[in-house]
Amino acid sequence: MSIKTKRITINGIVQGVGFRPFIYRIANDLGVKGTVLNSSIGVIIEANLDDENLEKFIELIKEKKPANSEITSIKIEDIEYKDFNDFRIIESSKNDITTVSIPVDLGICKDCINDIFDTENPRFLYPFTNCTNCGPRFSIIEKLPYDRKYTTMRKFKMCKRCKNEYENPLDRRFHAQPNACPVCGPYIWVKTSTNKIIEKEPFDYITQKIISGEVVLIKGLGGFHIACDAFNEKAVLELREIKRRDFKPFAIMIDEVEKLSKWIIITEEEKKLFYSQKSPIVMFRKKNINYFKYVAPLIDSVGIMMPYTPLHQILFKKLKERNFSNPLVMTSGNFKDEPIIKDNEEAIKSFKNFDILLHNRDIKNRIDDSVLFLDNKKNIRFIRRARGFVPEFIKINSNYNDFIFAAGGDIKNTFAFYRKGEVLLSQHIGDLEIKENRDFFISSYNNIKRLFSFKPEIAIIDMHPNYYSSNITKSFEFKKVYSVQHHISHIFSVMAENNIKDNVIGIAFDGTGYGNDGNVWGGEFFVVKNKNVKRIAHFEYIPLPGGDIVTKETWRTFLSFLLPEIDFAIDFLKKKIEKEKIEIVLNMIKQKINSPLSSSLGRIFDAVSVIVTGDIISEFEASGPMKIEALAYKTPESYEFEIEKNEEIYIIKSNSLRKEIINDYKNNKKELISSKFHNAIVKLIRDLGTKLVKEYEANGICLSGGVFQNRYLLNSILNEFEKSKIKIYFNQKVPANDGGISLGQIYYFLTIM
Ligand code: ZN
Ligand code: ZN
Ligand code: FE
């Protein structure tokens, strides 16, 4: 058989995951001669192969590929014959076609855990241990190709042993770009609250502080965490004061989640996710909502992650040595909703009187911990998509050739770039109301654009006239900027994930978004048919007296929602709020002063939460709805929305629901109100959804929007449709909240515009 020189180009997640040494090994096993290199168009192999060997070679690549790699395409070409003496890994070449991926930051692998806890190992207790199967990637990368000299590890010169590992194709650390050891790599120290530097046994110092109930700062992989003993009430309350967060849930870290089984329900699938190298914050169900009442008050889940870096592993080991086995609070190191702090100087400046565990491996791209939960069908549902997932591309069905940028929304912002057939969603940026987050938006935009050589000339923004995301994007000087309605973007994010192009009913239940008619939308039914999107049903409009402020002062929405039952409403509120205030707000409603109309289900949730919880102020975004979600229990009982057809559109009304809620309130049945309210929404989706599917001969229902992060609701809907012929689709790859709309904006442009 004749031997030819072949060029094999492999695309996907193939850099920073031990791909080249893997190729080297199988080439040697097969006696194949040639070269392999990393380039910005993927991994390129040039090798002399006959047909039989080629087939075997490709088969082995597909079958045995490294655990964290992913192959999206393998291209094989004949090239001019070259003479090779052996098989070699050669230097990365610079190439400028852009189909390459950057690996995500991965939690420590089992082998590296063994290394750091092996007293004989040179990396015993070394907090920056990593290998080709684990460690920092995106967070340290400055530009492509992914080589040490283009990462923040550049400043550390590898010692002889590290260099040998790095250069030995058979070593686990072959071309592990962040490879380091205690001799040559980054190190940690503590800056104490009194500005002393502790370089000797910094772990001992910091663990002692944690155990004694102090709040400390710890620099991690994608930014700083604020940490304390999660079971120390005083410490957690102090942390709340620092973060200016009275009730917002904090994530906790524990080495073995099983240790918490007394308080939380742990399923096999959740456990697997928890220990996975993506190591997200997994929202575990509490066995009783009063558990973790300082860490995650009044809600029914608590977010837990594992010590995903060697640094965190050692921290927990040191705590254990002191017979301390409590979980730690590990919440983003920032004030309120600002971006997570990533630089040493900034941390020292912002947290002056704190003990801070620092290190000198710089973070280039800040990235928060991802947060997700599993629904009762074991599907992943993102709340925040960041570390471990960004910058993985999301495949979408499109042949469109040009780049596109999408700005996303203003709350829970993520933005996105499109390149042929795939979308890159940014890490969670946050609330653009805050100046620091807008700066983060701009810097992250520039970083990602440069990293991947994206050159978009088209941008998509939300239709809202005053969104920061839109205005910043306009200042970037794109050739063309298009806008898409907020909730249509939500629906299209689900369609994008599920490769649906047309003929579907969309249900967007959400907080707020700017509607085509200038009103505040958020409880919408659409039909997508013949490349046309039409709004076909929505909740009855209610005024929001004061506009945006109602998301904080939820009693205003309560008052507005209960206008037909005004005596009850006033009676309810007058114990909690001055009569004059109530009157002013009522007047605003009556005279239509600064009272935009809203069809948002999120706002109705707010109103109902006021009745159920008695809280007239929202402590953080959606805190009321989260609290009533926690109270809902399984029952066949339900309220009912009325559906009326008004010209071409169905209006969903709450007249009987209001009356019955008041009745149940008078009988002091708060949990029942909550359950029946949730069930009414499920019923609405089932009944009106089914009706609309038939009416429009649609192929299924796509559901999105922040309301679907409600687990009770989501699970009930999944159960309800389990035996139905109607297919339902939710977000699985991006959050159902506004963190997912940048994907929808792009997909809308590609399918409709
Ligand atoms: Zn490793
Ligand atoms: Zn070294
Ligand atoms: Fe939204």
Side-chain angles (χ1 to χ4, degrees), residues 639-668:
Y639 300 127
E640 198 128 358
F641 292 102
E642 295 110 28
I643 299 160
E644 281 174 22
K645 196 154 191 183
N646 177 358
E647 288 160 24
E648 278 297 283
I649 202 160
Y650 291 100
I651 305 294
I652 304 151
K653 296 191 167 176
S654 314
N655 293 319
S656 68
L657 179 132
R658 258 187 295 255
K659 284 199 171 69
E660 281 187 53
I661 286 183
I662 292 170
N663 250 334
D664 287 333
Y665 174 81
K666 285 178 178 156
N667 292 319
N668 203 17

Side-chain angles (χ1 to χ4, degrees), residues 263-329:
W263 303 287
I264 55 165
I265 302 161
I266 306 168
T267 66
E268 274 313 305
E269 291 77 12
E270 285 167 330
K271 208 158 78 182
K272 231 173 112 186
L273 256 176
F274 174 88
Y275 288 113
S276 75
Q277 279 188 269
K278 290 185 179 292
S279 32
I281 295 171
V282 179
M283 298 302 295
F284 285 91
R285 265 267 157 73
K286 295 181 196 171
K287 287 183 172 167
N288 181 319
I289 68 163
N290 295 317
Y291 292 155
F292 296 98
K293 73 171 171 191
Y294 296 102
V295 172
L298 300 166
I299 59 165
D300 67 354
S301 325
V302 55
I304 312 175
M305 63 183 146
M306 69 168 270
Y308 55 83
T309 71
L311 188 153
H312 296 115
Q313 284 284 331
I314 297 164
L315 182 72
F316 273 84
K317 170 102 172 171
K318 293 280 182 182
L319 288 166
K320 205 174 184 176
E321 280 169 9
R322 292 168 186 270
N323 291 319
F324 179 93
S325 57
N326 295 353
L328 301 185
V329 170

Side-chain angles (χ1 to χ4, degrees), residues 383-424:
I383 294 172
R384 186 166 76 196
R385 186 176 177 275
R387 178 184 49 78
F389 298 92
V390 175
E392 270 172 14
F393 279 84
I394 295 165
K395 299 272 161 226
I396 63 171
N397 186 6
S398 175
N399 288 320
Y400 189 75
N401 256 322
D402 296 328
F403 296 107
I404 307 169
F405 172 71
D410 262 19
I411 325 170
K412 297 191 166 77
N413 175 273
T414 69
F415 57 80
F417 285 97
Y418 169 88
R419 75 179 178 201
K420 196 177 176 179
E422 50 189 8
V423 172
L424 184 111

Side-chain angles (χ1 to χ4, degrees), residues 324-351:
F324 179 93
S325 57
N326 295 353
L328 301 185
V329 170
M330 278 282 180
T331 186
S332 309
N334 55 10
F335 294 110
K336 217 148 186 182
D337 289 326
E338 289 173 7
I340 184 168
I341 293 176
K342 71 176 181 67
D343 296 324
N344 292 358
E345 303 75 56
E346 199 190 349
I348 293 167
K349 215 177 95 197
S350 308
F351 290 84

